[in-house]
Amino acid sequence: MTGTPEISLTPSAAARVAAIAQRQDKPAILRLAVDGGGCAGFQYRFALAEAVEADDIAASRDGVTLVVDPVSLDLLRGSAVDYVESLGGASFQVVNPNAASGCGCGTSFSI
């Protein structure tokens, strides 16, 4: 693939997904979706997936696959999923170039 990847996973996010998947004895596949709602209009939803669906857009790093459905991709194109640990806690975060604004929780955004 040339140019900007449609979605990507940082090394720290890949390592965290691999650890969670191993602990839960599931495949290392992280599904990212966008739902309506949240404090800013849309919210991110993360879940481990059992398999990559035929219409999913996928990105891989270090043996971990990030998948996004085609509808969510319209709002996520060019995004990167990161895993951040800080004094306030640890969480997956989406660096989304399409989001015009977000909210303090870090899981909700608007376009």
Side-chain angles (χ1 to χ4, degrees), residues 11-13 20 45 47 53 59-60 64 66 68 73 89:
S12 66
I20 292 169
R45 184 172 38 89
E53 301 297 327
S60 296
V64 174
L66 171 66
V68 176
L73 183 65

Side-chain angles (χ1 to χ4, degrees), residues 7-98:
I7 54 169
S8 63
L9 197 60
T10 67
S12 66
R16 184 64 180 159
V17 171
I20 292 169
Q22 182 177 24
R23 192 168 51 238
Q24 294 185 9
D25 197 26
K26 293 191 174 207
I29 302 170
L30 179 66
R31 177 168 298 284
L32 171 58
V34 175
D35 290 335
C39 12
F42 295 101
Q43 60 188 0
Y44 301 114
R45 184 172 38 89
F46 294 98
L48 288 179
E50 292 294 328
V52 177
E53 301 297 327
D55 61 347
D56 281 339
I57 291 77
S60 296
R61 178 183 292 271
D62 304 331
V64 174
T65 303
L66 171 66
V67 294
V68 176
D69 65 88
V71 173
S72 294
L73 183 65
D74 287 343
L75 300 168
L76 294 168
R77 197 174 309 277
S79 294
V81 175
D82 196 8
Y83 182 75
V84 178
E85 295 184 50
S86 67
L87 291 175
S91 64
F92 287 103
Q93 296 181 353
V94 178
V95 180
N96 186 343
N98 305 302

